Amino acid sequence: MLRIEDALQFILTHTPVLPDEEVALAEAVGRVLRRDALSDLDLPPFDRARMDGYAVRASETANASEASPVRLRAVGESAAGFAFNGQVEAGQAVRIMTGAPVPVGADAVQKIEVIQVGENGWIELTDPVTTGQFITPRASEARNGEVVVKAGERITPAAAAVLASFGHARVTVARRPRLALLSTGSELVEVHEQPQGAQIRNSNTYSLGGYATRAGVEVVSSGIVRDDFDATQQAIAEALSQADVVMLSGGVSMGDYDLVKPVLRVLGAEVLVEKVAMHPGKPTVFARLGEKIIFGLPGNPVSVAVSFHLFARPALLKMQGASDIHLPRVQAYLTRTVKGAPPRRSHQPARLLIRAGRAEAEPLKWGGSSDLVAFMRADALIVVPEERASLNEGELAEVISLRD
Ligand code: AMP
Ligand code: MG
């Protein structure tokens, strides 16, 4: 039985990185950028006004007061898209709008609210203005030629806005991993069917499909396969022909009908991980066949989710060349005692909360690895170290956030 770290190491070592492709920026959110993106101009490209008001020469306002206001003559206007072409000379000011270029000669902006606007283009200031006031200096947000989005970053909506600002109409990203999902189990029926007797509805397809999609993956097929050697072999072979990754659920424990591993071996796959010292999720399988990888995840709905997040998610992100492949871990105080599972490391479903300024983890009340209804409320996993039979209420514990 492998330690979690060793299993993950194995999996990542044998997970190939997919080739790049170029996509339109509008399709790039959620994809992993594969080349550093540079700025092609200074941002802002000019000294930019942060307020509606007047552009002035700060030194001329040094002695302004209620008793002796400074009078300036407004000689023009600078609006967004329409810069003032001249130069601001001594005794002059220029009407300016938010976002517009500060004209040559001016070095500060005063907001309209505190300016007396008189007749014939005269204005009065009753307060001194400091140099640079209400100006965003040229290149203060980004300098021409600097890296603005790094290779390996997943493109967020905000990053897409940055790429747009610097003219990246097309971007080089990793191809999305193509995933085939297979739910094994003769007891499984589809969501629209009425289970009879010992049957249950297939739910893993929906959790795994959702998690995988969130990790940037394209689900190309999904289906149920009954616990029959030939049927399983045929289904896996077909899945391998369609996808970069095949993800199975169920059929990996020690039951008589757990056929995933023997079938993988017959197909010529190298089974690299068979069991991991963890709870839930011990029967986690990882195999490789050429450039294709295969996950055999446990059938129980909670185990499958834990195993996915610990092993499959990092691998799917690595395939895309992502630099940040692990879920965030935080320290949080436990609101209740939680059980461990020595000698295995345990991951207990929990809710992560900020209360009175500190992180707290509230262990869920759940009925075990089949309890998908309770697990639906979980947004974190409390890590119970292998040697601990329980962690106590009030204790500080390591918690993995599932909110990715
Ligand atoms: P297995 O690992 O195949 O022994 O499955 C363990 C448990 O998970 C059994 O109770 C199965 O009925 C259940 N299970 C397996 N696959 C699924 C699935 N796709 N959806 C919901 N439950 C499942
Ligand atoms: Mg089964």
Side-chain angles (χ1 to χ4, degrees):
M1 196 150 42
L2 288 172
R3 289 170 59 235
I4 292 176
E5 288 75 11
D6 297 335
L8 184 59
Q9 185 63 46
F10 254 123
I11 290 170
L12 292 178
T13 308
H14 287 90
T15 296
V17 177
L18 293 175
D20 300 345
E21 66 183 12
E22 218 188 74
V23 297
L25 181 56
E27 269 111 64
V29 170
R31 308 288 294 268
V32 177
L33 190 67
R34 294 301 297 277
R35 293 208 197 116
D36 285 347
L38 305 181
S39 56
D40 69 338
L41 38 78
D42 288 342
L43 208 67
F46 41 76
D47 291 341
R48 183 170 64 196
R50 281 214 296 270
M51 287 283 178
D52 292 319
Y54 281 84
V56 300
R57 296 155 71 104
S59 61
E60 295 187 330
T61 68
N63 299 318
S65 67
E66 290 283 349
S68 73
V70 167
R71 268 162 68 85
L72 299 172
R73 189 164 178 80
V75 294
E77 177 182 285
S78 180
F82 300 94
F84 175 73
N85 276 328
Q87 180 157 339
V88 179
E89 308 285 353
Q92 297 182 343
V94 162
R95 176 79 172 108
I96 195 162
M97 318 303 162
T98 303
V102 176
V104 180
D107 58 8
V109 168
Q110 183 56 296
K111 57 182 173 186
I112 191 77
E113 290 87 338
V114 299
I115 291 178
Q116 306 298 319
V117 181
E119 300 287 299
N120 305 325
W122 288 97
I123 63 166
E124 284 186 359
L125 281 75
T126 52
D127 289 297
V129 178
T130 52
T131 306
Q133 174 177 290
F134 298 140
I135 293 176
T136 304
R138 174 176 185 158
S140 61
E141 293 163 357
R143 197 164 287 286
N144 190 353
E146 98 186 43
V147 176
V148 283
V149 188
K150 287 206 193 79
E153 281 188 51
R154 276 188 89 186
I155 301 171
T156 60
V162 171
L163 293 166
S165 294
F166 299 110
H168 296 277
R170 300 185 68 76
V171 288
T172 303
V173 295
R175 182 160 71 64
R176 294 176 71 186
R178 287 192 285 258
L179 174 69
L181 288 171
L182 270 181
S183 292
T184 76
S186 298
E187 74 281 27
L188 301 177
V189 297
E190 286 297 6
V191 56
H192 51 83
E193 294 180 280
Q194 185 62 46
Q196 309 288 337
Q199 294 181 328
I200 58 162
R201 291 197 179 98
N202 164 28
S203 60
N204 289 344
T205 291
Y206 299 90
S207 52
L208 289 177
Y211 293 141
T213 305
R214 251 174 24 181
V217 167
E218 183 191 354
V219 179
V220 292
S221 69
S222 63
I224 294 174
V225 56
R226 72 207 143 76
D227 296 315
D228 168 89
F229 198 96
D230 293 341
T232 306
Q233 182 174 346
Q234 206 186 324
I236 297 180
E238 195 184 331
L240 281 166
S241 73
Q242 300 165 338
D244 307 301
V245 188
V246 176
M247 198 173 287
L248 298 123
S249 78
V252 284
S253 21
M254 299 302 285
D256 292 345
Y257 297 100
D258 291 328
L259 301 164
V260 169
K261 277 184 279 178
V263 166
L264 285 175
R265 291 203 170 94
V266 165
L267 285 167
E270 195 185 351
V271 178
L272 294 153
V273 174
E274 294 190 50
K275 274 195 196 98
V276 186
M278 62 190 273
H279 166 86
K282 179 171 85 165
T284 290
V285 170
F286 174 77
R288 178 168 184 170
L289 182 59
E291 287 300 290
K292 314 258 169 148
I293 59 170
I294 302 131
F295 285 95
L297 304 179
N300 266 315
V302 178
S303 317
V304 84
V306 171
S307 234
F308 176 90
H309 282 99
L310 261 51
F311 302 111
R313 183 182 177 278
L316 296 172
L317 289 171
K318 188 204 156 173
M319 290 182 100
Q320 298 167 73
S323 42
D324 191 8
I325 62 173
H326 298 294
L327 288 165
R329 288 172 189 249
V330 296
Q331 299 283 315
Y333 294 93
L334 302 180
T335 64
R336 258 202 309 276
T337 295
V338 280
K339 282 217 187 84
R344 288 184 279 155
R345 191 182 305 163
S346 179
H347 295 90
Q348 295 289 317
R351 287 188 70 76
L352 190 56
L353 315 158
I354 305 292
R355 239 189 238 138
R358 64 176 208 169
E360 293 188 352
E362 187 172 87
L364 287 179
K365 295 194 170 111
W366 63 311
S369 345
S370 61
D371 193 350
L372 77 175
V373 179
F375 186 75
M376 178 178 66
R377 303 264 164 241
D379 61 5
L381 298 171
I382 298 166
V383 182
V384 187
E386 22 281 88
E387 71 281 3
R388 297 287 301 270
S390 65
L391 294 181
N392 302 321
E393 179 180 339
E395 202 171 331
L396 196 58
E398 183 182 17
V399 175
I400 303 171
S401 169
L402 299 177
R403 282 185 238 162
D404 61 339

